[in-house]
Amino acid sequence: MASTARRDAPEPPDFGILKRLARDQLVYLLEQLPGRKDLFIEPDLMSPLDRIANVSVLKQHEVDKLYRVENRPAPSTSDQLCFLVRPRVRTMRYIADIVNADKMSGRNRKYKIIFSPQKFYACEMVLEEEGVFGDVTCDEWSFYLLPLDEDIISMELPEFFRDYFLEGDHRWINSVARALQLLNSLYGPFSRVYGIGRCAKMSYELWRDLEEESESDGQGRKPEIGNIFLMDRDVDYVTALCSQVVYEGLVDDTFRIKCGKWWEVTSSDKSIKVLLNAQDKIFSQIRNEHFSSVFGFLSQKSRNLQAQYDRRQGMDIKQMKNFVSQELKGLKQEHRLLSLHIGACESIMKKKTKQDFQEMIKVEHALLEGFDIRESTSFIEEHIDRQVSPIESLRLMCLLSITENGLIPKDYRSLKTQYLQSYGPEHLLTFHNLKRIGLLTEQAAGETLTAVESRVSKLVTDRAAGKITDAFNSLAKKSNFRAISKKLSLIPRVDGEYNLKTPRDMAYVFSGAYTPLSCKIIEQVLERRGWQGLEEAVRLLNGNEFAMADGAPEEGAGGDAQRVVVAVFLGGCTFSEIAALRFLGKERGRTGRCGRGGGTARPQRARSTRRCAAPRLPVHLPDHRRHQQRPRDGGHGRGQGVTPSRGRCGRARGCGAPRSAQ
Amino acid sequence: MDCYTANWNPLGEEAFYRKFELYTMEWGLKEDLWDCLVAAAPYGGPIALLKNNARKEKSPNTRPLLEIYSASGLLLASIPWKSGQLVQLGWTASEDLLCIQEDGTVLIYNLFCEFKRHFSMGNEVLQNHVLEAKVFHTEYGTGVAILTGAYRFSLTTNIDDLKLRRMPEVPGLQKPPSCWAVLTQDRVTIVLLAVGQDLYLLDNTSCSVVTPPGMSPSAGAYLQMAVSFNYRCLALFTDTGYIWMGLATLKDKLCEFNSTIRSPPKQMVWCTRPRSRQRAVVVAWDRQLMVAGDSMECIRGRHRFVLDEDSYLVPEPDGVRILSRTSHEFLHEIPEASQEIFKIASMAPGALLLEAQKEYEKESQKADEYLREIKDQKLLPEAVSQCIEAAGYEHEPETQKSLLRAASFGKCFVDKFPPESFVRMCQDLRVLNSIRDYQIGIPLTFTQYKRLTIEVLLDRLVLRRLYPLAIRICEYLRLPEIQGVQQKDKSDEEVAYAINQKLGDTPGISYSEIAARAYDCGRTELAIKLLEYEPRSGEQVPLLLKMKRSKLALSKAIESGDTDLVYTVVLHLKNELNRGTFFMTLQNQPVALSLYRQFCKHQERETLKDLYNQDDNHQELGNFHVHSSYSEKRIEGRVGALQNAVDEYYKAKNEFAAKATEDQIKLLRLQRHLQEDFDKPYLDLSLHNTVSTLIQDGHHKKAEQLYREFKIPDKRYWWLKISALASRGDWEEMEKFSKSKKSPIGYLPFVEIAVKHHNRYEAKKYAPRVTPEQRVKAFILVGDLEQAADAAIEHKNEAEMNLVLSKCSATTDSAVMEKLSRARALLLKK
């Protein structure tokens, strides 16, 4: 992982501005309620808030006590209450209860609700219905994007995935559009916008409308981001369903990275919060690596470290003094990080061994390539019977369904029955939800679509077959994974052992067995500067693609910015995808450089070089897995974002996108 | 004021005529007026001009040009004339331009040269062509009369309700009549024509020869005839210069006059004032103009009315407009009130009052004298009325003002003088002055204005698209504004388009504001059309709601992608419609429906149920019941809810879900019994966990019963049982179980599970029973490398041998290693 910046690597835009903007606005809003006040914070805003403004900043602005918004009465005694919340009906009722309780007891307090990222009419409605609308003041904290890392931005909207893809609720599209507007105004104007998916299209169109209305004077500014790529999560569920094997992905699977942080359980059973980003020197070197190479790297590192410590031997006093004052601190720091990651590796190993990780990966690869379906199905069945892990079982079932265009009816019923017996009948609703978003479905009676398709195409001309296929497509949203995989050659042909240490393509993030579809699309589109030549694939992906070039500067003219690409995943993305995009960035960066150096080759490659990946990272497995919902707790999942990868130096940069779970 | 009467020309004793300039024409006309086809609409209407119409000059690059000007000479529109040869132009009462072609087709254009429609004057004309045509106005509307090449007349009295009438033939007519006119008498339209010295009257059925009474027999051949504006009078001009004036019924002669000019006049029109006893015609020749009336004298161009250039006369109800290349003048008889006041040495009360007021302004005591004089005669009210009336006839605002000032002054000395007439006049003059402005160019006189009525005037302003002025006038006169914006002949779409064309996307222009305005004026459809141009949906939706176009508002809101707007509309609809209709509306709008569902999910769960009920969504209803079963505290409640769910699932034909839910009910009931029997929480465990807990607690019988009742698959049961037994440490039972029948999952799991619980001893028991393929793995698990090696060697499987080898440590297992290496070497040799 060469992390030294190459000469022609464009510097990533400074996403810190986003943080500063958010902080300033929050401070302004807090000052709107002068005097001491208690602040109630929605639990899932806690972590993002912490990264924007810590407790001491809040205290400076006369925040007295902090409370979580939860389902019990607030013990606060302050005369001014400020609520920092997501626009959710549930929360509104909570606030209304507090206000009404105060009214009953004749207490007179001031209430202020700050909605983030924006206020919804439905919330005001609820306040009105509960009769407290006149008692509270409302404000919006336009905090749309949280930079999680140098190259990752997230919207931190956990419910995005569920609301949009499952419930068909479009309310967050507006937020996405506003987030795009923000990015465009700070780092744009973007000269090229690509996208695929319904949500992406709607967001894009809404954003254009917003731009038109605002008449911002974007002209004349030097853009820092030239390209943006929007993609719906449902364009590629497969990638999100695969087990992750790059280090960062595994850490997420095991400990769950939340808002760029994870909880590390130390030996003493105490857990501490650790910030994971490019600042962590060790982490930044292994985050994108295949897990198999991580251990070797860490042990090499620890030997080096030991050697450095060992230099103490035989130092004279002066040298020793130097060593202590200058190097020791760094070494200690490194030591701490090293032991942290080694500890993490051990936990991962332990957990994965317990779950027959190897077997599972094997089954996944079989599913991706489409052989041994029977064996895989039995494996999944056994997996369920043995209650190995509810979420993993569900994930495998979905993967089976989506790669096969649905389960055959017999398996569909029996797997579900098994699952209900193992994990409880409430999952009946889970299955219903999964079916609705097309993750776990039943094949239409008899044959698969592909079977019909191939038979039909033998009979009639290609064009007619295309039409018939369209007709089939319109019947149901099919994943068509097999066909897409063939079309885009997602399964690499391997001659001999795949070299995981120095990979040649993005497939390394899945041990060389599969190139993530989402990243492949991004690569292809950027390379072609549009969708030409991808018509067939687009059709299989259910269309809704678009591309816009807005007077894009010609090759070279736009400078480095034209090589910065933000990839926005609407509905979250996985760390594997981030890693793949970072790899792509590095790879293309190099190509670009060559092109320039040699003066000949393929200038446009050079252009698409650097990319930022965008939206927020997904931290972990795709959400779908946690799609199930337990009816009782009515709980919501957590969401996650998207990721980006940035070009050249292998660091990734992202912008946020929402992803959500459950 | 001294020379106020300077342009007064007496005609006889009583009457004075004056001519004054309305406008200096700005149209920069190069052609001779008589070389063009000209038509000017009455009541200060627009002027249509067709240039280059002359047939002989018709070369391909000089197409005739049709231009329309306001009365002040401002170009309103122009188009190159591409249709056929035009014979005549004319204006309809609603100021549409009629273009009558040689082939009898009449094309109708509006003020802005936009084509509206066309009609034909009959097939006969096609061959014979139209020789001449006249446009006339009757109480039925605007009519057209034509003279064909076969010397036959056809006419229609109302072009909007086209009924062609072919007039009877004039016997022996071999050449075109020298002049003709359309008359209307007793609601019958007739044609009067002159051939030489004969006059013929054509009515519907017959043709009769007529002779005007009192006509001098030596008068000669008729050259020109003129019908007065109201069709009451007729004037005839003969080639001896003799002019006969009489009633149009030809029953009475009014007067006659001998002009002594024998050349045929260019034009002859009546110039009378309504209610005036004075009759006069204006006759125009090339360079002179003559006003002839009931008097021996006449007003002759040579002295007063010289025409410097070609002029064109436009009859008006109270005078004549005279158009020329450079100016536009008005000639009329001076009304009585003005005469009284301004006549030199007039002692009329109005004149005195005017004097009095002037003196008063000079602070002279003469004011009082004058005033006293009037008062003594008790004529002050008359004086005031006279001044007010005279003000109306004046064109110059200064004169108007001084008259009104005088009236106002006089008013003060009259007890209870009713103010209406004064106020009215002030208002009217203000309106008149504003429309006479040359930018607007409608030179209406007060008399014309009163005849036209304010409503028609407003319509005309609107037709000329002078909306702001129309609105201002409405505001000023406190008329309902609706009249100002009423745009009768344009579809809402066109209006909206026109507005858009004018405004474009100018920043700062809000279409929703315009639309709101249109809505306030009752133009709902127009408002909707205008909203189409509003880019911000946030602005469209509230107005649509206000206009009660909720459904349209809903689709607009959805289009906008702004869910807040959708919510706004949805909740609005909820209150506005009854529940059934509300739900139906939502069904057609999936986006709105899912938003509302989301809202209900959190806020009104019962509504959610109704929603599903409405569209018979049994699947969702089932889910709904399952969902609510979890909020039931008592078992009975939960079972009840689940039972509902089962019913719904059956209705939804989802047998799987129904079956699963039935199982859940069964399980719930069972768990309750278990809970009571064993005093341990069983509720809400999954089936697997229930059985597992039973085994762990040693209730094997019960477990067995569940296994059968719920048809737990064998494999699962075996997995479940051995792991439960192992965690309980009941190795004896496990061994018994292992022997109960052949294990469906093989015996490797037994080994694994025992090893997991660190019981190697037990594990070893099962290792030999493992199938040969897995045996090596089993032995390795239990740590018996020797047997593992044996098994591997037995299988002759190199990979297995390597696996065992890798587990061996050199110190303790050297014998095994040696054995393996040998076997492997042997294998490889083969």
Side-chain angles (χ1 to χ4, degrees), chain A residues 373 377 397-412 415 438-444 446-450 477-482:
Chain A
I373 300 301
T377 313
M397 285 164 76
C398 292
L399 192 60
L400 173 63
S401 162
I402 209 145
T403 51
E404 288 294 296
N405 259 341
L407 301 175
I408 56 173
K410 191 176 129 274
D411 289 345
Y412 185 63
L415 285 178
L439 274 173
L440 185 59
T441 56
E442 187 175 3
Q443 277 173 13
E447 35 203 351
T448 61
L449 176 68
T450 28
K477 206 174 167 196
K478 292 283 185 182
S479 74
N480 298 325
F481 176 74
R482 206 68 72 210

Side-chain angles (χ1 to χ4, degrees), chain A residues 104-166:
Chain A
M104 295 279 282
S105 59
R107 257 196 103 158
N108 195 8
R109 309 204 242 199
K110 269 195 183 168
Y111 313 92
K112 182 188 184 69
I113 306 178
I114 301 174
F115 293 97
S116 168
Q118 60 189 116
K119 183 167 65 182
F120 286 141
Y121 179 68
C123 294
E124 292 180 329
M125 267 287 308
V126 173
L127 292 174
E128 202 178 323
E129 278 184 11
E130 303 282 335
V132 299
F133 188 63
D135 302 292
V136 300
T137 52
C138 297
D139 259 313
E140 286 184 352
W141 180 31
S142 325
F143 167 50
Y144 290 102
L145 295 167
L146 173 69
L148 291 180
D149 205 340
E150 282 178 8
D151 57 358
I152 306 173
I153 314 175
S154 166
M155 289 190 71
E156 292 292 326
L157 284 181
E159 55 253 80
F160 184 95
F161 185 83
R162 189 192 170 94
D163 279 354
Y164 177 76
F165 292 100
L166 180 62

Side-chain angles (χ1 to χ4, degrees), chain A residues 93 119 121 125 129 163 167-169 171 206 213 385 387 416 418 421-422 424 426 432 436 632, chain B residues 536 560 563-564 571 594-595 598 601-603 619-620 623 630 656 684 686 688-689 713 716 719:
Chain A
R93 289 237 293 276
K119 183 167 65 182
Y121 179 68
M125 267 287 308
E129 278 184 11
D163 279 354
E167 312 281 3
D169 177 343
R171 75 177 112 171
L206 198 56
E213 273 173 43
D385 284 353
Q387 290 184 308
K416 282 204 300 185
Q418 297 298 314
Q421 289 189 358
S422 271
E426 65 269 28
H432 177 75
R436 199 148 84 188
R632 245 150 336 146
Chain B
R536 293 162 299 169
S560 77
T563 48
D564 268 9
L571 298 170
S594 42
L595 274 175
Q598 282 285 79
K601 251 177 211 170
H602 294 114
Q603 189 69 356
Q619 175 67 37
E620 286 297 347
N623 292 347
Y630 287 100
F656 176 83
D684 287 336
S686 69
H688 186 109
N689 292 349
R716 169 192 294 281
W719 274 113

Side-chain angles (χ1 to χ4, degrees), chain A residues 25-34 37-40 79-85 92 95 99 109-115 127 132 135-141:
Chain A
Q25 205 201 350
L26 180 63
V27 166
Y28 172 78
L29 289 173
L30 288 174
E31 290 294 325
Q32 296 287 92
L33 191 65
K37 59 224 156 211
D38 282 357
L39 186 61
F40 287 69
D79 278 340
Q80 303 202 89
L81 305 184
C82 189
F83 300 88
L84 185 57
V85 295
M92 292 308 110
I95 295 171
V99 178
R109 309 204 242 199
K110 269 195 183 168
Y111 313 92
K112 182 188 184 69
I113 306 178
I114 301 174
F115 293 97
L127 292 174
V132 299
D135 302 292
V136 300
T137 52
C138 297
D139 259 313
E140 286 184 352
W141 180 31

Side-chain angles (χ1 to χ4, degrees), chain B residues 15 21 65 67 126 138 210 244 300 357 447 506 543 610 678:
Chain B
E21 187 172 67
L65 196 62
E67 292 176 330
L126 276 179
T138 66
V210 285
W244 180 91
R300 296 285 296 271
Q357 196 269 339
T447 319
T506 322
L543 187 59
D610 297 343
F678 304 126

